[in-house]
Each structure stands twice: as structure tokens, then as C-alpha cells.
Amino acid sequence: MTTFSADFSTRASQPPIQLEPPRLEIAQPILEVRDLNKSYGSVRALEEVSLELYPREVLGVVGESGSGKSTLLRVLNLEEQPEGGEYHLGIPPYEGRNLLQLERFERRALRVKHIGIVYQNPHLGLRMNNTSSGNVAERLVIAGERRFHALRAAARGSLEVSEFPISRMDDPPRKLSGGMQQRVQLAKAIALKPALLLLDEPTTGLDVSVQALVLDTLRRLQRDLGIAMLVVSHDLGVIRTLSDRVVVMRHGRVVESGLTDQVLEDPQHPYTQQLVHAKL
Amino acid sequence: MSRLSELTHDWQDHSYAFLDEASKRELRRKILKAIAIPGYQVPYASREVPMARGWGTGGLQVTLTLVAPHDTVKVIDQGADDSVNAANIRRFIARVAGAATTTDTLRCTLLQSRHRIPEERLLEGQILILQVPEPEPLRGVETSSAASAVLHADADYGLMWLSLYEQIVRHRRVILGASYPVMVGGRYIMAPSPIPRWDVPMLHQAAHLTILSAGREKRLYAVPPYTDVRPLEFDDVPFRIEDQGGEVCYRTGAGHKFLNELPQDDGSSRFELSDSGYGEKLLRRQAGETVEIGATYYDERGGFYHDDLLR
Amino acid sequence: MILEVQGLTKRFALHELGRTVDAFADLEFTLSAGEFLLVAGGNGVGKSTLLRTLYRTYRASSGAAFYNSHRGRIDLTRAADVDIVLLRREELGFVTQFLRPRPRVSALELVAEPLLFAGVRQEEALRRSSESLELFGLKRELWEAYPSTFSGGEQQKVNLARALIQPRRLLLLDEPTASLDATARAALRERLAALKAEGMAMIGVLHHPEDATGLLDREIRLEAPSGSDARLLEALEADYVA
């Protein structure tokens, strides 16, 4: 028997059962943000956004363009200052401090040492005319490495782990394919074994087959290095492949969050249902 | 009652030492700021002097600001006191300031130089004024001066190191010759003006004050006495001075000093001291005169006078 | 007791259609260590939905499913997402008939992956992976090949070898034997028997319950509740991507 009832749909749009706070997971979140707000003129890019990321976890952030997901990523990378809220990373000596209040110098030191990022647009993340190995080495040099051979070895190691062909390590990114450029970005991002890796549409714009290979590298890296990752994408396939949990953003708000398979298979919010079915 | 004429100067067709008092005051303030923040580039107005921009107007303005009648001024160009440019600047300073001039490094109080530091060690109280064509050490790696300013502010010198890294990757060594970048006081990267690498260590923990001034670019900066000035180098690819190839000066027999190569008609080369004032004193001593010659930065066997810099 | 299910109800709300679909209502059952519970019932009664609700791929509408984890007792319908992630990593298993092969990942690596995620060393993981592939009878020459090129039967062997490589405390089986040959079915039965003997509890939806002869302890039979729509529910379940 089928039922058409306004009564049903209002009841159903609330989550069926409220979830409890974590009880089995004893680790503290590696990343925690509370009540982030950010406007551009009259546009609310972030509205009361809160989320946490646990050690070794991959959190997906999905939403259409304009949903605020890229702003969120820039705030997490300390590139953008929100109007209010808190941002904590569980890394000594930053524990307990609201990172949104860091001095410019501290912010830079934190970013270099503890946060890696891969941008959709490699021009944002790479020096296109320098060598690929140099792009990776620069991070280490900023962190204080002053031995040439150590830099060379670390750059090579990081590129290898990112499954970049070593014979091309001294080619500039401008001469590389899109997939290879993403691998250089990745090598640079993980060079210092960051606590947090941010991925901004890491495979958008790549060939489907190249995309699968890059995603595979990301999975391996996550597995072997245990880095907590936050991946922003409008591509549900990417999210499904990479993330354990997912938050869905719309108009700057988190409208739903849950296990990746649950959000994709049994979305609760009307917007998420629309989004998920759009892909089918 | 005194008369008005007793209270004022007689009319002069120019101010003392050519620059007007307001300009000199600005420069003194900027110089003080530069000394207070070693290696930091301080913008200044850069006045007109009777010389074309690019011919040492930056150095000249600093010299004219600092000079007093009791000073003794030495001016060199590539180590030589007798080049046309050095001679003209020296004569000009003497004429407008009434200061004495010399070619003897030990005797000068102000030393204006283009592209060299003398072989004899400068002492406390002496001031070295270097003419600078390009004050921005990051110019080669960052074309925007606004962006460079931010990099300096953040002490974000990854790009500079990246450029050294890539020179070694491509050429197996750092190929920078003159104007080798140095780190001043552990804070700012500085262009030491186009002195040879031979001269760069002389700035480290020096007894004298160095002021570097770029007239065309309108920026000056300074290294106060006893300040750390270290060339950028990797621990395992150390900074190297120019190898003088065991050559000696053909006129004085001096070795382990910075030499100029003089190509001969038969295709061979002769070498002579780049520092002409030092060479002149060596020759006079060899002719039997009693001449006071100062200790040099590099000794007779090429050893540098500081232990902790050159490896 | 491993699991206590009380009044478990699942109703899908389809906002775009402005309607709901009921899958099952007020389910009650318990499960002990080493027990195998068969979920029986006709098409479209929500058998797969039950398994997915327990695994938290679907959110329950009401009721509770208390699970006694090594780390403590927890209601699977209310547990925080990160707790479920933890349980899935350590205790809960789900076997379907679908394999998701990935380009440039060999059968051996794909099967070893759950162990690698659990922190098992590379050599050890690969050794156990080959044992598992051996057990399910995947031809040796295929071990280093990429499963994306395999036949349905071969893929299914890789899938089972992967899904059953680690002992689980509670295993959910959703028609794992579809498209399997007789040898592989026998192997599956053997592997499940071994795991059951070690105390693993299982809940299964089986096309051919005879595949599990001798292993089944009890069965619950699902019936379509009023307000259900077998066709729509089947369509919803079929949307599932493993």
C-alpha cells in the first residue's frame, strides 16, 4: 500500500533517530571546527559550520559550486579568515588554541609543517617553471632542512610514494600532464608528513582513467601514512572511493552528515536525496 | 646689538657637501633606520646629484650626507682608486665638503666603493659605502617588488633556496658570482652589491659599518659592526670563494689576494692586484719606504681571518 | 549475546515523490556468538534492507539494535558515525555479491587491502591473501592480474576472499553465492564453518539456503508490512552500489 501524505513527509524530514556522541572511539578529533561563519557581501559562504575529523579518517565534503565547500577548505588551510568560530587541531603545541587567532608567523609555520593541500588548479599549488623535485624540496627547506643531499633524497622519496615517474623529477610541472601535476602537488603536500591533508577537487578535470589512478594513489597513501584527510568534491564517485564519512553542504550550511555509504544510499535530507539521485 | 649679517651665513651657491640640509636629514634618518634593522631595505627619496643615475649616485648621496671637513675620503671603483669614475667622485666630494682624500685604506674614515672591499681589514670607526645597482636579492626569483616585500616580511626565503637547489641540480654547483645572497643577522636576505664572492665573507662580524645604497632604485640598507652576515649555502654544498688559481700579482708578487686578469698580446695572461691602494703600498715598501700596511682578510696562505665562516 | 534487536523499523522517506516506503516494522530477535541466523521471506520484503540497517548503510526509523562490542555495548542505530567506522574496521563485516575492482590493483593486493588497513605488515598480508584466494579457488595465474578484466564468477571469488580474510565478530551476508561455481560454494561453506566455529555470528540473506546446510541455526521470516511497496523497495535496494 502506498501513502501520499504531507504528514509523512514532514515527519520524515527530521532525522529518524538522533545519534549519540562517540563512545567507542577514544581518540580525540585531530581537527575540530565550531560555528564557522563567513560572508562575502550579502552572500553567506559559511553559516554555523561545525565538523570534526578523527585520526586516520577521511572526511568528504560534497556540495555544488557555491555551497561554501571551497571557502571551508580555505578557512581550514588558514588562507581565509572567517568572521567567527573556532578551529582546533590536536597537534602539539597548538592543542587547545583557537587557530583562527594565530599570528601571521605562527599560521605560516603551522601550515608548512602540519597541513598539506592539493588544489584542483595546480597553478595554485605549484611553481610551474621550477623543477618538480624543487617544488617538493622547497617545503623542506622552509622547514629548516639545509642539506642538499637530504633535500634531494626526501623530494625523490616523496615523489616516489606519490607514484610519480622519478626520471622526470627535474622537469618543470608546466611540461607535465594534469595527472602528473597532481602527483607533484601530492608529493609536496605530504613531504613533511602533515597531520592533515586537504584535497580540493583533486581529480576534477582529469581523464577518467587518470582520475582512477590518482584516487588509487590517494587511498594507498592514506592507508600507509595514516594521514587524516579532508576531501572536497562535487563528484560523489570521488567521495565514495575515498571517504569514511561525508558532510553535505548547501548555501554555506551543513545539511546532512553521516557515513559515506549511508548518505549516498539512504540520504535523509531532501537536498541530499536530490543530489544523490542526480548522479543516478 | 649684533648685526643681522653676523647671525647668518654669507650667501653660498650651494649647501655644504652639495645636498641641502633637509635631504641630508632625511638620509641620516633612513641610515639610522637601516642600521637599526640590519639587512632591511629602507626606501629614500634619492635626490639629484650632478651625475647620472647608475653611476654611483646612491653611494654618493650617503657619502655627502656623512662627510665632514675632518673626514678623509677614499673612493674606489672595482678596487682601483685611479679609474675615471672613482677619481671624479673623489674630487667632487673633496671640493664640496673640504674633506681630505686618500688612497690608503687604513687612513680613510669614509670609503665609497663600487664592486670591491679592500684587502686590508677595515677597522672600528670606518664606514664602507657600497654603490648598489640592484638592492633586491629576490629580483631573480620574484619579479614583483610588492610580492618580494611580503616575502621579506615573512622571512619566506623558500624561493631563494629553491633557486640554489636548482642551480646545483642543473650545474652541480651554485653559479652565482657577484652579488651572492647573504643572510644578515639571521633575519633578512640581502644583496651585498656586486662584490665578488671573495669579498662576501669580509662583511661577516666586520669591525666597520657598511652602508649600501641604490640611487636609481631609491633604497638603502646597512650592516652594523659585528653583525652575522652568512652567504646562503647548503651544509653539504658549502659556499666557495673564487679560486685565484695560485696566481700572484705580477707587480708586487702578492698571492692569495683578489686579482685582475690582464690578457696579453701573445694570448697569455698576467695578473695584478685588484686593490690598487694596497698594491701601491706594497710597491713602496719594496722600494724601501716605511709604509704601514694593515692586516689583510686573507693571509699569505689564503687563510681567512675568521674561523667560523669559510669551510 | 552478540546482538539484541528490539522493535526495529525502517521506513524510507522519498521527499521528491512526497511519500514513504515501509520496509519492515517492529523486528525483534537476538543472536549469540557462533550463531547463524537466516533471513527468509519473499521478494521485496526488505531482507537486504535489514542487513544494511544493521550495518548502518541505512538509518533505522525507530527501535534499537544493541551490539556487544569488544569495546562495550552500543546501539547500532544510535552509535556515532565514527563509532560505526571503528566497528566496521574491527568487528563488523558485510559480504555482498559485488566486487569493486580498481584499475592497476591486482587480485592479490585487493584481497590483502583490509589487512593492510588493519595495520598488518605487507608480506604477512600478501601471504594471507594468497591463502584466501587459494581457498576460493581462483586460478593462480590470475593472482597478479587485475580483477576488472575477470569474469563474474572470478570476481566473486576475489570478493569473498577479500570479505572473509579477517575474522569478524558479526558478519552480514547478502546473497554471497550468486554466480558462484560449485567449488567456490563449497569453499565458502568451509570458510564460514571455520569462522563460525571460532565464534563468529552471522546473519545471512541466501538465494540458496542449501549452500549453508548444517550451518544455519535459526531463521526469521520477513513479511511485507502494511504501507510497503514491494516494487519500489526492490528498486531502492537495487540502487545500492557496494
Side-chain angles (χ1 to χ4, degrees):
Chain A
M1 221 183 86
T2 54
T3 325
F4 290 92
S5 159
D7 166 51
F8 266 126
S9 58
T10 48
R11 198 191 321 164
S13 61
Q14 284 142 22
I17 295 179
Q18 202 64 42
L19 297 184
E20 296 165 347
R23 287 169 44 204
L24 304 180
E25 174 60 80
I26 39 169
Q28 292 300 304
I30 185 97
L31 175 156
E32 200 170 359
V33 294
R34 289 277 157 262
D35 306 324
L36 294 182
N37 282 293
K38 174 83 188 170
S39 304
Y40 299 106
S42 60
V43 180
R44 300 293 299 269
L46 294 177
E47 208 169 339
E48 303 295 313
V49 170
S50 298
L51 51 85
E52 55 278 314
L53 177 66
Y54 283 79
R56 304 183 68 88
E57 192 188 28
V58 183
L59 179 67
V61 179
V62 287
E64 300 162 332
S65 45
S67 62
K69 59 190 197 310
S70 300
T71 306
L72 173 64
L73 203 81
R74 285 199 300 273
V75 169
L76 296 181
N77 195 36
L78 298 170
E79 288 171 62
E80 187 115 40
Q81 191 69 13
E83 279 125 27
E86 291 196 29
Y87 178 10
H88 296 280
L89 284 179
I91 312 164
Y94 300 97
E95 275 164 313
R97 299 182 62 185
N98 183 0
L99 302 182
L100 302 176
Q101 280 155 15
L102 289 187
E103 299 284 333
R104 184 185 170 87
F105 269 97
E106 291 179 298
R107 208 157 63 209
R108 218 174 67 86
L110 170 68
R111 280 179 59 185
V112 167
K113 283 213 165 136
H114 302 293
I115 304 179
I117 187 163
V118 174
Y119 295 96
Q120 176 184 353
N121 178 353
H123 287 263
L124 291 176
L126 294 178
R127 303 190 186 283
M128 300 305 273
N129 295 319
N130 287 95
T131 56
S132 294
S133 68
N135 267 281
V136 181
E138 186 187 353
R139 269 228 149 183
L140 298 151
V141 125
I142 292 173
E145 179 58 74
R146 291 291 180 269
R147 293 166 302 168
F148 173 78
H149 290 97
L151 285 173
R152 192 87 182 130
R156 173 192 291 266
S158 207
L159 285 164
E160 253 164 4
V161 169
S162 305
E163 300 174 290
F164 179 90
I166 291 304
S167 61
R168 304 199 64 183
M169 71 185 273
D170 292 325
D171 287 0
R174 103 185 109 79
K175 288 193 180 162
L176 301 172
S177 68
M180 288 302 142
Q181 289 173 350
Q182 294 311 69
R183 289 180 191 280
V184 179
Q185 279 207 77
L186 191 58
K188 177 180 175 180
I190 61 165
L192 285 171
K193 312 250 177 312
L196 172 64
L197 180 59
L198 304 172
L199 304 165
D200 183 11
E201 305 269 6
T203 59
T204 305
L206 301 181
D207 270 14
V208 178
S209 58
V210 176
Q211 177 171 346
L213 294 177
V214 172
L215 288 178
D216 204 59
T217 301
L218 286 169
R219 272 180 66 107
R220 256 177 236 243
L221 270 178
Q222 203 276 326
R223 185 187 78 201
D224 297 344
L225 305 181
I227 301 176
M229 306 196 321
L230 189 137
V231 52
V232 162
S233 184
H234 70 282
D235 183 338
L236 298 179
V238 170
I239 297 292
R240 187 191 284 279
T241 307
L242 289 180
S243 60
D244 302 303
R245 291 190 302 123
V246 63
V247 297
V248 182
M249 291 191 68
R250 188 193 191 200
H251 300 332
R253 282 183 164 276
V254 172
V255 296
E256 179 162 359
S257 68
L259 296 161
T260 302
D261 54 335
Q262 181 256 299
V263 170
L264 298 182
E265 301 301 340
D266 187 17
Q268 306 295 309
H269 193 275
Y271 173 72
T272 317
Q273 291 194 352
Q274 223 176 44
L275 196 73
V276 167
H277 291 133
K279 128 226 119 152
L280 292 170
Chain B
M1 271 258 306
S2 41
R3 289 160 50 165
L4 185 60
S5 60
E6 288 169 8
L7 295 171
T8 57
H9 290 298
D10 289 340
W11 184 88
Q12 292 176 302
D13 59 356
H14 61 77
S15 306
Y16 174 73
F18 189 80
L19 290 177
D20 64 276
E21 288 307 316
S23 297
K24 285 196 279 195
R25 184 167 66 178
E26 188 228 355
L27 267 161
R28 280 194 298 270
R29 287 175 169 188
K30 299 294 166 65
I31 289 167
L32 284 173
K33 180 169 179 179
I35 293 168
I37 317 172
Y40 172 72
Q41 299 165 44
V42 184
Y44 69 100
S46 195
R47 306 293 166 172
E48 291 293 328
V49 286
M51 202 163 73
R53 291 271 161 94
W55 289 84
T57 57
L60 182 61
Q61 288 177 79
V62 171
T63 306
L64 293 175
T65 299
L66 298 179
V67 72
H70 55 76
D71 273 311
T72 306
V73 179
K74 172 177 162 84
V75 181
I76 52 175
D77 182 344
Q78 302 266 30
D81 296 89
D82 52 0
S83 82
V84 173
N85 194 29
N88 280 341
I89 292 175
R90 184 169 56 241
R91 267 202 301 270
F92 178 73
I93 296 166
R95 199 167 124 200
V96 298
T101 62
T102 183
T103 60
D104 185 351
T105 300
L106 289 184
R107 285 186 52 227
C108 73
T109 53
L110 297 175
L111 198 171
Q112 181 173 335
S113 167
R114 171 174 175 269
H115 300 191
R116 270 313 310 273
I117 298 176
E119 299 290 347
E120 287 167 282
R121 289 182 222 165
L122 289 165
L123 304 171
E124 283 186 8
Q126 290 183 298
I127 300 177
L128 170 67
I129 298 149
L130 284 168
Q131 300 168 199
V132 180
E134 174 51 76
E136 180 50 75
L138 303 178
R139 185 69 80 226
V141 293
E142 173 57 69
T143 49
S144 151
S145 41
S148 294
V150 174
L151 295 179
H152 281 298
D154 287 345
D156 181 354
Y157 294 130
L159 257 176
M160 200 71 222
W161 285 102
L162 178 56
S163 124
L164 293 190
Y165 168 90
E166 294 191 338
Q167 288 179 33
I168 299 171
V169 165
R170 292 202 174 113
H171 310 286
R172 304 224 172 125
R173 62 191 177 88
V174 175
I175 52 163
L176 292 171
S179 215
Y180 192 97
V182 292
M183 172 64 80
V184 180
R187 176 59 183 82
Y188 285 100
I189 283 185
M190 180 186 95
S193 86
I195 53 176
R197 279 176 295 157
W198 180 267
D199 291 355
V200 169
M202 298 174 184
L203 292 169
H204 176 66
Q205 285 294 332
H208 70 275
L209 165 66
T210 305
I211 299 169
L212 303 100
S213 177
R216 190 187 56 207
E217 301 296 324
K218 303 179 182 177
R219 288 193 231 171
L220 62 85
Y221 46 105
V223 178
Y226 304 110
T227 300
D228 275 4
V229 177
R230 295 182 182 277
L232 294 195
E233 61 181 345
F234 290 110
D235 295 353
D236 49 355
V237 187
F239 169 81
R240 296 236 182 273
I241 55 171
E242 289 88 349
D243 184 2
Q244 300 300 328
E247 302 291 345
V248 294
C249 171
Y250 82 99
R251 296 172 68 199
T252 63
H256 295 294
K257 300 289 176 287
F258 196 75
L259 301 174
N260 291 337
E261 183 172 358
L262 308 172
Q264 302 300 298
D265 290 343
D266 64 359
S268 65
S269 282
R270 286 205 296 196
F271 294 87
E272 71 171 357
L273 280 172
S274 153
D275 183 345
S276 68
Y278 177 63
E280 187 191 332
K281 288 205 286 188
L282 287 179
L283 287 175
R284 276 169 43 211
R285 174 182 279 181
Q286 284 163 13
E289 269 186 61
T290 308
V291 184
E292 192 194 349
I293 298 180
T296 50
Y297 288 102
Y298 294 90
D299 65 25
E300 303 309 312
R301 292 192 308 279
F304 191 69
Y305 84 118
H306 265 313
D307 286 342
D308 72 330
L309 201 63
L310 292 175
R311 284 176 288 151
Chain C
M1 201 78 77
I2 291 274
L3 189 67
E4 293 163 65
V5 172
Q6 300 171 355
L8 194 64
T9 300
K10 176 58 186 171
R11 162 185 294 147
F12 293 95
L14 304 178
H15 298 286
E16 223 167 329
L17 303 178
R19 59 177 292 190
T20 62
V21 180
D22 287 357
F24 51 79
D26 295 323
L27 283 187
E28 307 262 345
F29 64 90
T30 63
L31 190 68
S32 298
E35 271 195 311
F36 193 151
L37 176 75
L38 178 71
V39 182
N43 284 340
V45 296
K47 300 190 296 290
S48 295
T49 301
L50 171 59
L51 297 184
R52 291 172 200 165
T53 304
L54 292 173
Y55 197 62
R56 259 285 282 285
T57 297
Y58 294 162
R59 293 282 297 273
S61 308
S62 62
F66 293 103
Y67 169 74
N68 284 309
S69 148
H70 276 304
R71 295 168 179 259
R73 180 177 156 94
I74 194 160
D75 180 355
L76 295 176
T77 67
R78 287 176 174 74
D81 293 322
V82 286
D83 283 345
I84 298 290
V85 170
L86 193 72
L87 288 177
R88 287 178 175 185
R89 208 174 284 154
E90 296 180 350
E91 301 185 18
L92 293 180
F94 199 111
V95 187
T96 67
Q97 52 180 303
F98 308 106
L99 175 74
R100 275 169 42 94
R102 297 204 310 274
R104 223 190 37 167
V105 180
S106 71
L108 209 53
E109 276 179 274
L110 202 61
V111 171
E113 200 176 57
L115 295 176
L116 293 172
F117 268 109
V120 176
R121 292 238 313 274
Q122 181 92 6
E123 301 145 44
E124 167 75 1
L126 289 177
R127 190 183 59 74
R128 282 167 62 184
S129 166
S130 40
E131 281 174 10
S132 197
L133 285 169
E134 179 89 64
L135 178 73
F136 286 99
L138 185 77
K139 282 176 283 179
R140 244 166 214 282
E141 58 263 37
L142 292 180
W143 290 7
E144 295 288 351
Y146 304 146
S148 44
T149 62
F150 290 5
S151 73
E154 287 160 349
Q155 286 200 358
Q156 179 60 351
K157 288 174 186 174
V158 175
N159 181 40
L160 289 174
R162 174 183 158 99
L164 296 174
I165 194 163
Q166 279 176 300
R168 310 267 77 177
R169 198 167 158 81
L170 173 61
L171 185 68
L172 307 167
L173 298 128
D174 193 359
E175 298 187 6
T177 54
S179 74
L180 269 190
D181 59 34
T183 350
R185 276 145 92 146
L188 173 63
R189 197 190 165 285
E190 188 190 322
R191 178 70 179 143
L192 292 182
L195 290 169
K196 182 175 151 77
E198 288 169 22
M200 183 170 80
M202 288 176 272
I203 303 177
V205 175
L206 301 174
H207 245 307
H208 309 287
E210 59 275 18
D211 288 340
T213 317
L215 298 179
L216 300 174
D217 296 295
R218 284 183 296 126
E219 95 172 33
I220 52 164
R221 179 160 293 276
L222 296 190
E223 274 156 28
S226 64
S228 81
D229 178 330
R231 257 192 34 238
L232 198 49
L233 186 55
E234 269 188 284
L236 275 173
E237 287 186 345
D239 262 356
Y240 182 80
V241 186

